[in-house]
Amino acid sequence: MPVDGYDESMALVAETRRHGAGEFQLLGRTWELLPEVWLPTLSYSTEFYTTHLPYPQGGSLLEVGCGAGVTAVHAALSGCAKVTATDITSQSVDNTARNARRHGASGVTAMVSDVFAELDGDDRFDCVFWNMPYVAISPDYRYPDGLTRAVFDAGMAGCHAYVAGAARVLAPGGRLFLGLGDIGDRAAMERAAAEHGWQVQLVAASRGEPDAHVEHRLFELVRA
């Protein structure tokens, strides 16, 4: 398939499956991993974004695509009073809830949602973040399973849904963030953002093991 990053991404999906259920170490804590949930230690991305997000002290955070729950739990333990974590797969939602209980993060609520689709219409957050799938792939790509949704964004549909719906979930003065590596289509992301009135600003960027060949980038989207 002629898509940059396809083979590498599928190899990481396969490695996640080989790891299977168990535990992993990240950010000085031991985390539980359920089957069919992305293994965060295969990339520097989770560590990078989790340690660079500006968590609103005493405020609320929404994380889209929570996976095993590392960022959501860390946010709650770093001063967020309310954390809502969503994911498109029930396995990830269960995994996040388990890790919240494991680490005493009582302010975390995990729920199944495709981006913002299942959120209550009155929900508003001081900070919204998504470490989105890095690899843009053809719109006619059919996901074989939930794990591939962690690495591919068919037709940039997820990105479009994020920038289209973000305004309705942000509290007054709230901040909107997006994670995307340099293997992703930044130009397409910026075009999608601009269509919905957002200007994209680079906040931080870094490389680290185990995928130091990828630069992970944290963007803030502000009203143009």
Side-chain angles (χ1 to χ4, degrees):
M1 185 172 295
V3 176
D4 290 342
Y6 177 84
D7 290 340
E8 180 181 359
S9 296
M10 291 305 293
L12 294 176
V13 168
E15 181 61 28
T16 291
R17 287 210 169 92
R18 280 193 293 271
H19 181 279
E23 295 181 336
F24 63 93
Q25 305 288 323
L26 194 63
L27 298 173
R29 295 187 174 97
T30 301
W31 307 83
E32 181 179 0
L33 188 74
L34 297 181
E36 298 300 306
V37 177
W38 175 260
L39 176 59
T41 54
L42 294 179
S43 171
Y44 180 57
S45 60
T46 297
E47 179 178 351
F48 170 67
Y49 297 126
T50 301
T51 54
H52 281 78
L53 279 169
Y55 299 112
Q57 298 301 295
S60 58
L61 177 136
L62 168 64
E63 184 192 11
V64 175
C66 56
V70 172
T71 302
V73 170
H74 186 84
L77 298 177
S78 297
C80 288
K82 172 188 174 184
V83 177
T84 299
T86 72
D87 202 284
I88 202 165
T89 72
S90 58
Q91 298 99 313
S92 293
V93 169
D94 187 15
N95 207 156
T96 294
R98 286 169 178 254
N99 278 321
R101 290 193 295 270
R102 171 182 281 227
H103 296 295
S106 58
V108 176
T109 300
M111 60 181 291
V112 175
S113 181
D114 187 352
V115 191
F116 308 124
E118 301 303 320
L119 291 174
D120 187 287
D122 295 327
D123 283 338
R124 297 292 185 272
F125 300 90
D126 299 308
C127 182
V128 177
F129 168 69
W130 186 19
N131 174 10
M132 67 171 287
Y134 281 6
V135 181
I137 200 165
S138 170
D140 60 4
Y141 177 77
R142 295 295 176 261
Y143 299 102
D145 49 49
L147 265 178
T148 52
R149 289 181 176 271
V151 293
F152 298 132
D153 188 5
M156 299 282 289
C159 179
H160 281 275
Y162 188 73
V163 297
R168 79 169 179 86
V169 299
L170 280 174
R175 302 178 71 182
L176 180 64
F177 294 91
L178 183 67
L180 183 66
D182 64 354
I183 62 173
D185 193 340
R186 177 176 178 175
M189 179 270 287
E190 291 181 334
R191 287 194 299 270
E195 288 175 11
H196 295 280
W198 299 103
Q199 180 181 353
V200 179
Q201 300 177 352
L202 180 64
V203 174
S206 186
R207 302 176 187 269
E209 296 299 337
D211 55 349
H213 60 290
V214 177
E215 182 176 77
H216 304 282
R217 298 167 173 174
L218 179 63
F219 298 95
E220 183 170 8
L221 280 64
V222 298
R223 278 307 188 188

